[in-house]
Amino acid sequence: MRILCTNDDGIHAPGLEVVEQIARALSDDVWVVAPELDQSGVSHSLSLNDPLRLREVGPRHFAVRGTPTDCVIMGARHILGKEMPDLVLSGVNRGRNVAEDVVYSGTIAGALEGTILGLPSFALSQEFSVETREKPLWETAQKFGPEIIRKVMDAGVPKNTVINVNFPARLPGEVKGVRVTRQGKRNLGFLNIDQRRDGRGNPYFWIGFERAAVMDAPAEGTDLAALAAGYVSVTPLRLDRTDEAFSETLTKTLG
């Protein structure tokens, strides 16, 4: 099985080494094509107005000056030659990708591009806590990742589905198990604008994240609830975003 690995944290991110280890537990035909620089939050961005610079870092290891989407396309359509990958793994992201994160995440986008190309694709993310922020518990992703991927692959991944896997901020022995979940929703207002001034007194801004003063309990069955309870969250996300129920309503209204 030929596996293409990418991420959004960049070619030198520690999580990329972890996803490669997960891939090598499944196959010895592993290729790594990752962004030259950190591309967190770029979502499914595609470089159309800038050239892509390709650098060979080592055997079967390449850096692309572009987005995770660019990396998957370059890997599948150019670097690997005529033989397409059988599987795309994106991650392991430093930090979870749940709830609204799936809209912004470059990690999700890398896997999503694999799905668009017709390949079984997984987005893998390692949650961290306040205590593990500087040193995420990568061993948790490394332990549970290969078996989850095997089982999902054996079940058969639908053509228009990407598998979003999040590992809790717990040591492997403290993980309670694996739950299949749906996408959750956070409290509103978690994005924050931080205004500052440069050395000349001109304003500039950072988009950041802040914790709500009171956190609602996550809805049962969601990715947020699973992680909070100490489970690995496995969420199938559909490429087709059509709201079928509302489409029926609109058909009655506009038809």
Side-chain angles (χ1 to χ4, degrees):
M1 178 168 60
R2 174 167 278 198
I3 302 177
L4 174 61
C5 297
T6 192
N7 73 350
D8 71 351
D9 289 333
I11 190 68
H12 298 298
L16 189 62
E17 296 181 11
V18 180
V19 82
E20 184 177 358
Q21 292 168 0
I22 291 172
R24 292 196 179 282
L26 303 169
S27 171
D28 58 2
D29 191 1
V30 176
W31 297 72
V32 175
V33 183
E36 184 79 64
L37 305 172
D38 190 332
Q39 296 289 308
S40 298
V42 300
S43 187
H44 207 163
S45 176
L46 178 65
S47 297
L48 296 177
N49 297 311
D50 298 305
L52 299 178
R53 305 292 183 183
L54 179 65
R55 180 170 67 93
E56 186 170 0
V57 180
R60 298 187 180 183
H61 287 67
F62 299 85
V64 175
R65 190 168 286 270
T67 68
T69 301
D70 297 331
C71 291
V72 173
I73 295 173
M74 283 288 288
R77 298 294 192 187
H78 176 68
I79 296 172
L80 272 64
K82 295 182 179 180
E83 187 178 348
M84 291 277 283
D86 302 296
L87 173 66
V88 174
L89 301 181
S90 183
V92 174
N93 190 65
R94 182 180 176 274
R96 64 188 188 178
N97 276 307
V98 293
E100 294 88 347
D101 294 342
V102 303
V103 178
Y104 304 112
S105 169
T107 302
I108 300 289
L112 193 62
E113 187 59 36
T115 300
I116 290 174
L117 294 174
L119 307 169
S121 302
F122 292 72
L124 307 171
S125 302
Q126 176 61 58
E127 181 186 46
F128 58 75
S129 62
V130 174
E131 295 77 19
T132 62
R133 182 181 183 87
E134 298 304 319
K135 293 184 178 181
L137 301 173
W138 300 114
E139 57 266 42
T140 301
Q142 188 174 349
K143 174 177 174 57
F144 289 95
E147 188 62 21
I148 289 173
I149 294 170
R150 286 193 191 97
K151 288 183 176 180
V152 175
M153 290 286 286
D154 288 344
V157 180
K159 285 292 184 181
N160 292 320
T161 300
V162 60
I163 308 299
N164 183 27
V165 183
N166 284 272
F167 305 97
R170 299 193 178 197
L171 291 167
E174 298 173 346
V175 174
K176 293 184 178 180
V178 179
R179 283 183 175 173
V180 178
T181 59
R182 68 180 187 277
Q183 182 184 335
K185 185 170 179 57
R186 288 193 186 87
N187 292 9
L188 294 177
F190 74 100
L191 285 175
N192 178 53
I193 302 298
D194 183 9
Q195 179 175 344
R196 304 182 185 183
R197 293 190 178 274
D198 63 21
R200 301 178 64 187
N202 298 314
Y204 67 96
F205 305 86
W206 285 104
I207 294 178
F209 301 89
E210 63 180 0
R211 290 182 175 272
V214 179
M215 296 296 292
D216 294 335
E220 191 61 34
T222 63
D223 43 20
L224 290 166
L227 291 178
Y231 289 84
V232 178
S233 168
V234 179
T235 311
L237 301 174
R238 295 185 62 189
L239 181 61
D240 181 355
R241 299 183 182 182
T242 305
D243 187 329
E244 299 289 353
F246 192 52
S247 290
E248 293 181 8
T249 301
L250 287 180
T251 299
K252 296 175 182 178
T253 302
L254 303 175

